[in-house]
Amino acid sequence: MATLLIKSLLAYIIPFTGDEALFYTWATFPDIGYYDHPPMIGWLLALIMKFSASEYALRLPALIFPYIVGAVMYNLLKVLDINRARWAVILFLVSPLNMLNILVTTDTPLFLFVSLSAVCFYQGLHLNQRISLILAGVFLGGAFLSKYFSVLLIIAYGVYVLLYQRNRRGLAALALVAACTIPFVLLNVYYNYTHAWSNIMFNVFNRNHEMGSFTPGNFFVYLGQLLFLLTPFTMYCLFRPGKAVRHVAAAESLRRYYLVLCYVPLGILALLSFTKSIGMHWPLAFLPFAFILTIFHFHAATFRKVVLLVAICTFTVNSLIAYIVMNPPAKLTQSKLYQQALFYWKPRAVADLLTPYTKDYILTTESYSKSAVLYYYTGQYVSIFGPGSFHARHDDMYTDFRHFDQQNIAIVRTAPPDMNKYLPYFQTVSVTEIKLENTSLYLIQGSAFRYDVYRELVLRPIKNTYYQLPVWLPTPGNYFTNKYFAEE
């Protein structure tokens, strides 16, 4: 209850981030897929929005799912040692993995479905329960429709079966799980086939131009992220010799199972880190397995000490964040960093300042995150003007610049604009500086938008950069080129 209350406070007071607002956009346009990721988080938020669209309500999955995972952990471990099972769950709940998990991301449903699939696969494999194997496949399918990192879990299943269950029962169990996952995969394939393989283009090509160069520094950053999420106390104790648990026949098989499920995904990400920067959220879904393993290393006395140290750290950090959000120090509000972030720090105030302009102008920004945030706080869809980036391409599905021809467009910026950059696209261009506390927003107001010029100078380079599909990806059509370059 203490951890939930502290998390709830942060979820209530922290404004929506750009990514969260993007997922809100997904929820307002329900579909079987989205430009850069599978649809699960959009579906979850669309369901919640039937009741409420407040920041706190939309963050409920991030708040609640770790407690479901904790219940699964406890039910799994209590047969080994009920007291230490309680401590393992408490350690998980006071860790940064739970205490700082308040934002809605695509990892939120992945976090839940990976844990549920893992425990069902273990029960199905070792207790010979076919229904558990079917559920493991269904939950794995839910994980796949959450994020493609779910593939790491099926790889871990395969490694475990090859190492410890290399027999007919093990292979049959793996085949049944795969068969139950296939319908979810086919749904995703169908979406990509009918939407220019947008997930493939985003995750394989458009976002990986820098991948390939050997960068060992990323590996140490990745290790630092794991150290932060698991805490040094937990990491140190995990590398100590194991402590005997009450003798149960399943104890050793359980330990080996979660060792594989923990180390295989984290090991793959570690290898990947040498050529690509690993986001802190990437390993989240597999870290609960590390807390399950603590029961094999900690005595109750060790658990008490580690839980106390971790709780002091995380409660302090969360309290400090809450204090800064509610009462930002004067030095912080005067800093350049705060002024640059004010758009996201006080998005409702920004929305209130911009709403009067929506009567005469189509409101846009040059950033997917700014557009998504303004959409959430103004209630009116905000398009992306200009080339944007590979992150901004989901807007290509919703915005049709042909309909903006000869209309007035306002572009919101947080930095002073170069007016010459916008002159080709409008008959006249002016800029209005809008004061917000001790910083400024800049509203570029363009009249009589010239679609033909925009098509050649902006949309054509977008087509050549982001929508050049490999010949081996068949598609019945490309939503972007069909819309703007159908004659070609």
Side-chain angles (χ1 to χ4, degrees), residues 200-404:
I200 303 300
M201 293 302 296
F202 175 81
N203 289 291
V204 177
F205 297 104
N206 295 337
R207 70 184 302 183
N208 290 313
H209 294 301
E210 82 287 355
M211 188 174 175
S213 58
F214 182 68
T215 314
N218 288 339
F219 172 73
F220 295 103
V221 173
Y222 172 65
L223 289 183
Q225 292 170 353
L226 294 182
L227 196 66
F228 172 76
L229 292 168
L230 294 174
T231 74
F233 314 111
T234 304
M235 291 280 282
Y236 168 74
C237 293
L238 278 174
F239 284 99
R240 297 170 62 193
K243 306 294 182 181
V245 297
R246 184 171 63 86
H247 180 70
V248 176
E252 181 58 21
S253 63
L254 185 69
R255 186 186 70 85
R256 291 186 305 195
Y257 177 75
Y258 277 103
L259 272 173
V260 172
L261 262 61
C262 182
Y263 290 165
V264 168
L266 297 185
I268 292 173
L269 291 176
L271 292 175
L272 185 62
S273 71
F274 285 102
T275 59
K276 184 174 178 63
S277 176
I278 303 297
M280 184 176 288
H281 57 292
W282 289 20
L284 290 184
F286 307 99
L287 294 185
F289 302 152
F291 289 93
I292 290 174
L293 293 172
T294 59
I295 198 171
F296 300 102
H297 295 264
F298 295 179
H299 284 309
T302 306
F303 267 123
R304 282 194 292 270
K305 293 176 184 176
V306 173
V307 164
L308 179 62
L309 289 170
V310 172
I312 289 173
C313 292
T314 54
F315 284 24
T316 300
V317 169
N318 282 47
S319 300
L320 184 62
I321 293 173
Y323 176 78
I324 291 175
V325 172
M326 292 187 292
N327 300 286
K331 286 187 178 180
L332 176 62
T333 59
Q334 295 168 5
S335 69
K336 187 176 182 180
L337 178 63
Y338 175 85
Q339 294 172 20
Q340 292 174 341
L342 198 60
F343 184 98
Y344 298 102
W345 196 278
K346 296 194 174 181
R348 199 172 296 279
V350 173
D352 291 341
L353 288 173
L354 295 175
T355 297
Y357 294 93
T358 60
K359 297 177 182 178
D360 301 315
Y361 293 90
I362 298 170
L363 199 62
T364 69
T365 80
E366 297 169 305
S367 154
Y368 91 91
S369 62
K370 289 184 175 68
S371 286
V373 167
L374 284 181
Y375 175 40
Y376 178 77
Y377 286 100
T378 64
Q380 298 187 38
Y381 186 77
V382 178
S383 299
I384 298 170
F385 190 92
S389 69
F390 60 84
H391 287 294
R393 304 277 57 92
H394 190 75
D395 178 65
D396 294 339
M397 296 182 178
Y398 300 153
T399 298
D400 190 339
F401 280 96
R402 295 174 300 178
H403 298 160
F404 294 172

Side-chain angles (χ1 to χ4, degrees), residues 66-90 92-93 119 123 254 258 288 291-292 295:
Y67 297 92
I68 300 175
V69 173
V72 170
M73 290 172 56
Y74 176 70
N75 188 64
L76 183 71
L77 298 176
K78 67 181 181 181
V79 297
L80 305 183
D81 187 314
I82 192 167
N83 187 41
R84 286 158 71 175
R86 291 167 178 159
W87 279 115
V89 175
I90 293 172
F92 164 68
L93 293 179
V119 72
Q123 292 175 339
L254 185 69
Y258 277 103
F291 289 93
I292 290 174
I295 198 171

